[in-house]
């Protein structure tokens, strides 16, 4: 080995030792600051949140420390039953483990998702869906990745979350499957959302991913267009992280076109941005890329310079793909420099990590199988739930039908019971009416007719002279008229009971009907010296059945004559209202008690009283009047005061 190379390697070794000492000092200072900060937190929830922030902070620089803080957050959250903190800790821990222990990372993400679902933490469920989709995308399990990102999009819409759907990740899923048009469409949706929210700074990542979609299909010119757009925005906001990966991507696009000299300045610039970040994880990729480019330019010394910086970092983070890649570069560089022993060692390491990657590939396939099993299990559970719902629905319908049948039967029985009760009441009323009818026929009608028969027999047997017969005939006339009037009411009542009242509506002259009844009853009025007067407007025409209203007037006027004493007065008043006529029959008779007024117009309550001159009645008259007036579209009522008289009033349509 030449002296120049020995000096070169010594300088590299010294540089590494100085960097290591500086890193240790930085870590000690950082550890002291963290301990001081933890002392300020009194609430466990604040301490848990701080642990999670520390885990995020150290993720790129110190994976072990990042993992330690995530574990502490989970442990404390479980002890204090802080569900939100536990879920966030699980997501942070899973994100760290996905590079070195993907199976365990998958279980952590699934556990976080299930806890978020059961506790209805929708914002954290949004994060869990994102991590699962991103995890499966990294391991090229595109179907479950797509399922989880679609779930995230649906969750945002259904729950109206403040977070926006991650169309950028959806674009990445399409891009990896070489579905470039769908990928670009998703990336454009993401760009629109970011610009609408005033987040231009964050569009650099979306533009980089959009460029990658073209990179995967080897359209490097179109890919660089998106990278350069992102670089312009990154320069505007002095975003070293974005500039690091965007410029590295530009370099890679030239590298793939074998334009190595054009790639080198972009990769060197990317490396400069990544060193500013002090991000060891991101630095590995940049060092690997520039090492590969120098090797392609046949500059193994320069390739070794950068590769030796990358190798310990790759070992530290345990990223197998980076270790295999840099080991292969180191092997080829040493071989070019005729360092066969070193070349053999690193090529062996490259082969070893290639085998590890194959194991990861098998693990990836296993993850895919597990994801498919999970999806099938979910489908089965959904199908089972659907069947259960259908069975419950069918049972509910059967139960509802059974209840309807029971209700229908109950209603039919109730209705039948009501009909029987009504029929029984009707039969009781008919029996009462029959008894009343027989009483009338047996007493009220038999007495006058028997008197007439006796007088006729006395005349035939010459027990009385013709002159004495004439004396008795005036008395018999009143009885015969009472019989005629009573029989007329009974016939009408019987007809209404058998066939119902049939009403023939026509224009009737109220004045004509009232005058006719006054003339008809004048003999009775004169016998008791009762004065009948009336007050009727001209053209008093009502729409009603003439025969029925004639009977109503006769009943009311007969009752007035019956219960008005000698030298009393009866006044009939007809007055016009808005749409009907109001007819009143007022007398100065004995009046009616309030108890009897309540029973006057009720069917079945048949009672009668002797008049002031001993006149008899059946008790049917007023009920017949009520039925007839209502059939003609009117109403009837009474106002009375005992000892002063009564006023019966009814209405008829004009």
């Amino acid at each position: 080995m030449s002296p120049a190379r020995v000096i070169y390697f010594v300088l590299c070794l010294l540089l590494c030792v100085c960097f290591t000492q500086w890193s240790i000092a930085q870590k000690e200072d950082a550890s002291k600051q963290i301990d001081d900060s933890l002392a300020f937190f009194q609430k466990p929830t604040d301490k848990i949140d701080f642990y999670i922030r520390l885990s995020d902070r150290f993720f790129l620089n110190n994976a072990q420390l990042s993992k330690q803080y995530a574990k502490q957050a989970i442990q404390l959250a479980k002890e204090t039953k802080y569900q939100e903190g536990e879920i966030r800790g699980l997501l942070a821990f899973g994100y760290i483990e996905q590079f070195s222990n993907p199976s365990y990372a998958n279980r952590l993400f699934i556990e976080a998702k299930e806890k978020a679902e059961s506790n209805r933490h929708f914002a954290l469920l949004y994060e869990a869906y994102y991590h699962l989709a991103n995890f499966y995308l990294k391991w090229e399990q595109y179907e479950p990745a797509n399922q989880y990102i679609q779930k995230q999009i649906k969750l945002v819409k259904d729950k109206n979350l403040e977070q926006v759907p991650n169309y950028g990740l959806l674009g990445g899923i399409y891009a990896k499957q070489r579905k470039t048009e769908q990928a670009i469409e998703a990336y454009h949706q993401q760009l629109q959302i970011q610009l609408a929210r005033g987040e231009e700074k964050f569009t650099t990542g979306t533009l980089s991913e959009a460029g990658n979609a073209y990179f995967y299909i080897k359209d490097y010119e179109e890919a660089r267009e998106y990278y350069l757009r992102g670089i312009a925005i990154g320069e505007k906001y002095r975003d070293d992280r974005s500039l690091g990966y965007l410029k590295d991507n530009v370099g890679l696009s030239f590298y793939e076109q074998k334009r190595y000299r054009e790639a080198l300045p972009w990769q060197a610039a990317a490396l400069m941005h990544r060193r500013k970040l002090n991000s060891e994880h991101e630095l590995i990729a940049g060092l690997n890329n520039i090492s590969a480019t120098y090797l392609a330019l046949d500059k193994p010394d320069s390739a070794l310079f950068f590769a030796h910086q990358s190798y310990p970092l790759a070992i530290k983070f345990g990223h197998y793909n980076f270790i295999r890649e840099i080991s292969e570069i180191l092997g080829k560089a040493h071989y070019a420099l005729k360092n066969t022993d070193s070349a053999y060692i690193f090529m062996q390491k490259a082969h070893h990590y290639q085998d590890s990657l194959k194991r990861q590939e098998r693990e990836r396939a296993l993850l895919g199988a597990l994801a498919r099993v999970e999806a099938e299990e979910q489908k089965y559970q959904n199908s089972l739930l659907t069947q259960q719902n259908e069975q419950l629905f069918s049972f509910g319908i059967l139960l509802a039908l059974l209840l309807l049948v029971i209700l229908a039967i109950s209603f039919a029985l109730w209705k039948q019971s009501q009909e029987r009760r009504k029929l029984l009441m009707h039969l009781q009323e008919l029996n009462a009416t029959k008894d009343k009818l027989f009483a009338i026929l047996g007493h009220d009608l038999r007495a006058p007719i028997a008197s007439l028969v006796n007088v006729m027999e006395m005349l035939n047997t010459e027990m009385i002279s013709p002159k004495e017969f004439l004396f008795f005939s005036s008395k018999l006339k009143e009885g015969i008229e009472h019989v005629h009037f009573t029989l007329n009411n009974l016939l009408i009542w019987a007809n209404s009971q058998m066939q119902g009242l049939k009403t023939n509506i026509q224009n009737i002259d109220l004045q004509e009907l009232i005058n006719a009844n006054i003339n008809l009853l004048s003999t009775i009025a004169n016998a008791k010296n009762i004065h009948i007067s009336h007050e009727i407007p001209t053209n008093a025409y009502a729409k009603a059945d003439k025969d029925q209203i004639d009977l109503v007037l006769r009943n009311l006027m007969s009752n007035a004559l019956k219960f008005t004493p000698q030298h009393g007065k009866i006044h009939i008043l007809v007055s016009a209202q808005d749409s009907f006529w109001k007819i009143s029959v007022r007398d100065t008779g004995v009046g009616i008690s309030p108890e009897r007024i309540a029973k006057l117009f009720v069917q079945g309550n048949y009672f009668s009283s002797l008049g002031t001159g001993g006149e008899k009645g059946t008790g049917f008259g007023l009920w017949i009047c009520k039925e007839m007036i209502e059939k003609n579209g009117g109403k009837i009522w009474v106002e009375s005061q005992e000892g002063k008289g009564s006023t019966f009033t009814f209405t008829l349509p004009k």
Side-chain angles (χ1 to χ4, degrees):
M1 184 179 290
S2 66
R5 286 181 180 172
V6 171
I7 293 169
Y8 167 74
F9 281 115
V10 169
L11 287 173
C12 286
L13 183 61
L14 288 172
L15 183 64
C16 290
V17 170
C18 291
F19 179 75
T20 303
Q21 292 298 321
W22 177 81
S23 297
I24 291 170
Q26 289 291 104
K27 287 176 183 177
E28 288 176 351
D29 290 342
S31 179
K32 186 175 183 304
Q33 290 176 1
I34 289 166
D35 291 338
D36 292 341
S37 298
L38 283 169
F40 283 107
F41 296 115
Q42 300 297 323
K43 295 181 179 179
T45 54
D46 294 336
K47 190 175 286 189
I48 292 165
D49 293 338
F50 185 62
Y51 279 140
I52 293 169
R53 289 198 298 273
L54 288 172
S55 178
D56 292 340
R57 173 184 167 186
F58 286 103
F59 169 70
L60 295 175
N61 297 324
N62 192 327
Q64 291 301 321
L65 194 58
S66 178
K67 191 184 299 185
Q68 175 186 325
Y69 286 126
K71 284 182 177 179
Q72 287 177 302
I74 295 169
Q75 183 63 33
L76 186 56
K78 285 182 177 179
E79 291 173 1
T80 57
K81 297 182 180 179
Y82 178 33
Q83 292 287 345
E84 183 178 341
E86 185 181 355
I87 295 167
R88 289 173 59 209
L90 288 167
L91 292 174
F93 197 12
Y95 190 68
I96 301 163
E97 288 290 335
Q98 66 182 331
F99 299 103
S100 57
N101 193 347
S103 297
Y104 184 47
N106 185 50
R107 290 198 298 273
L108 292 169
F109 289 144
I110 293 293
E111 185 180 354
K113 174 187 76 76
E114 290 174 350
K115 286 183 180 295
E117 286 174 339
S118 62
N119 290 282
R120 299 181 65 81
H121 282 301
F122 297 121
L124 290 175
L125 184 59
Y126 169 94
E127 296 293 335
Y129 285 153
Y130 168 79
H131 281 291
L132 281 163
N134 190 51
F135 172 79
Y136 284 117
L137 174 61
K138 286 183 184 298
W139 292 98
E140 298 179 5
Q141 300 299 320
Y142 304 121
E143 184 179 348
N146 192 24
Q147 287 175 357
Y148 278 114
I149 200 64
Q150 294 294 349
K151 284 183 177 182
Q152 188 201 59
I153 292 170
K154 186 175 184 298
L155 178 69
V156 170
K157 292 178 180 177
D158 291 349
K159 304 302 179 182
N160 197 24
L161 299 182
E162 292 182 0
Q163 293 93 329
V164 295
N166 202 306
Y167 290 107
L169 186 56
L170 180 63
I173 296 167
Y174 286 134
K176 286 284 188 177
Q177 298 176 85
R178 307 300 187 262
K179 297 177 180 179
T180 309
E181 289 185 8
Q182 292 167 281
I184 295 300
E185 182 182 351
Y187 286 131
H188 282 177
Q189 285 181 287
Q190 183 74 8
L191 286 169
Q192 288 174 4
I193 291 171
Q194 289 171 327
L195 293 172
R197 291 165 64 94
E199 298 173 350
E200 184 188 35
K201 178 180 179 180
F202 302 113
T203 60
T204 53
T206 308
L207 290 166
S208 176
E209 292 294 331
N212 291 344
Y214 286 106
F215 188 96
Y216 297 144
I217 60 171
K218 303 183 186 305
D219 189 347
Y220 301 116
E221 299 296 333
E222 192 68 31
R224 275 197 293 273
E225 289 293 325
Y226 280 96
Y227 296 150
L228 291 171
R229 282 173 60 187
I231 289 169
I233 295 170
E235 296 284 2
K236 177 180 177 181
Y237 291 98
R238 299 181 180 179
D239 184 358
D240 285 313
R241 176 164 279 110
S242 298
L243 290 169
Y245 60 71
L246 282 163
K247 289 182 179 181
D248 212 3
N249 286 346
V250 173
L252 282 172
S253 69
F254 283 122
Y255 180 90
E256 292 295 328
Q257 291 178 300
K258 303 186 185 306
R259 296 161 62 178
Y260 305 122
R261 294 191 182 280
E262 292 175 82
L264 201 57
W266 287 102
Q267 291 173 332
L271 203 57
M272 180 184 67
H273 288 296
R274 285 173 164 169
R275 288 190 191 279
K276 285 183 183 179
L277 289 172
N278 192 27
S279 171
E280 294 176 345
H281 189 274
E282 293 184 13
L283 193 59
I284 297 170
L287 290 167
N288 282 14
N289 290 337
I290 200 168
S291 298
T293 303
Y294 273 119
L295 190 63
L297 288 169
D298 198 21
K299 293 184 177 182
D301 289 334
S302 298
L304 283 175
F305 176 77
F306 290 105
H308 278 301
Q309 294 177 52
S310 175
Y311 185 77
L313 296 176
I315 294 293
K316 176 182 176 180
F317 282 96
H319 199 304
Y320 289 179
N321 194 45
F322 281 160
I323 297 171
R324 182 206 59 78
E325 186 179 278
I326 200 62
S327 295
E328 187 176 339
I329 291 170
L330 283 165
K332 288 179 179 179
H334 279 294
Y335 182 79
L337 293 170
K338 309 300 182 183
N339 300 327
T340 54
D341 291 342
S342 298
Y344 177 76
I345 291 170
F346 282 111
M347 292 305 289
Q348 282 288 97
K349 287 184 178 181
H351 179 73
H352 168 74
Y353 283 104
Q354 182 64 39
D355 288 342
S356 297
L357 286 172
K358 286 181 180 178
R359 285 196 300 273
Q360 284 192 345
E361 184 65 33
R362 289 194 293 272
E363 190 172 344
R364 181 187 305 167
L366 179 60
L367 281 173
L370 289 172
R372 286 190 290 275
V373 169
E374 181 190 348
E376 290 298 322
E377 184 180 354
Q378 187 66 43
K379 286 181 182 177
Y380 173 74
Q381 289 178 351
N382 291 339
S383 174
L384 188 62
L385 184 62
T386 302
Q387 289 179 1
Q388 288 175 346
N389 289 337
E390 288 175 353
Q391 289 173 355
L392 286 172
F393 181 71
S394 301
F395 178 73
I397 290 176
L398 288 174
L399 185 61
L401 288 173
L402 181 61
L403 288 173
L404 284 174
V405 169
I406 292 171
L407 286 172
I409 293 171
S410 300
F411 178 74
L413 291 172
W414 175 83
K415 190 174 180 181
Q416 190 177 28
S417 173
Q418 292 295 105
E419 289 175 353
R420 285 178 179 173
R421 187 177 299 171
K422 287 180 182 178
L423 182 60
L424 180 61
M425 290 176 66
H426 184 61
L427 289 172
Q428 288 174 346
E429 290 174 1
L430 287 178
N431 283 332
T433 303
K434 177 197 69 175
D435 294 341
K436 180 69 176 176
L437 180 60
F438 287 152
I440 292 167
L441 292 173
H443 183 268
D444 292 356
L445 298 184
R446 185 178 62 181
I449 293 171
S451 297
L452 177 59
V453 170
N454 288 335
V455 170
M456 293 299 293
E457 286 181 357
M458 290 171 68
L459 180 62
N460 287 334
T461 58
E462 297 181 353
M463 290 179 65
I464 58 172
S465 64
K467 185 177 180 181
E468 289 174 325
F469 176 75
L470 291 174
F471 172 77
F472 285 117
S473 64
S474 62
K475 296 291 183 182
L476 290 172
K477 182 183 178 185
E478 293 179 11
I480 296 302
E481 287 176 350
H482 170 67
V483 169
H484 176 267
F485 185 71
T486 300
L487 283 174
N488 191 39
N489 275 345
L490 284 172
L491 287 172
I492 293 171
W493 172 82
N495 186 57
S496 71
Q497 295 298 303
M498 297 298 292
Q499 300 176 1
L501 285 173
K502 294 181 180 179
T503 304
N504 179 25
I505 302 297
Q506 57 183 305
N507 279 330
I508 60 172
D509 187 341
L510 294 175
Q511 187 170 19
E512 179 184 331
L513 283 178
I514 292 168
N515 286 332
N517 278 285
I518 290 172
N519 292 332
L520 181 64
L521 300 171
S522 60
T523 304
I524 299 173
N526 291 333
K528 297 181 73 173
N529 293 313
I530 294 173
H531 176 67
I532 301 177
S533 61
H534 62 73
E535 187 178 340
I536 308 170
T538 56
N539 298 320
Y541 288 91
K543 291 181 179 178
D545 186 297
K546 184 177 181 180
D547 293 333
Q548 291 176 9
I549 302 307
D550 182 47
L551 185 62
V552 169
L553 285 168
R554 193 177 312 154
N555 269 285
L556 294 180
M557 291 171 68
S558 295
N559 283 344
L561 288 168
K562 177 180 176 182
F563 295 105
T564 300
Q566 292 282 338
H567 306 291
K569 294 180 180 179
I570 296 173
H571 183 68
I572 302 166
L573 175 64
V574 178
S575 60
Q577 305 298 317
D578 292 337
S579 58
F580 58 88
W581 292 102
K582 184 177 177 183
I583 302 99
S584 299
V585 179
R586 185 169 65 244
D587 63 56
T588 58
V590 296
I592 310 169
S593 68
E595 292 77 13
R596 285 205 166 188
I597 288 176
K599 301 176 181 178
L600 279 181
F601 298 107
V602 179
Q603 185 179 5
N605 288 330
Y606 310 122
F607 57 87
S608 63
S609 303
L610 293 176
T612 56
E615 301 95 332
K616 297 177 181 179
T618 62
F620 283 95
L622 288 176
W623 180 79
I624 293 173
C625 289
K626 179 178 182 294
E627 187 172 0
M628 288 181 174
I629 291 298
E630 288 176 352
K631 283 283 185 181
N632 282 272
K635 296 180 181 179
I636 186 169
W637 66 93
V638 62
E639 297 171 283
S640 182
Q641 189 173 358
E642 288 184 279
K644 293 187 177 181
S646 305
T647 301
F648 283 82
T649 305
F650 64 92
T651 60
L652 291 174
K654 285 185 176 180

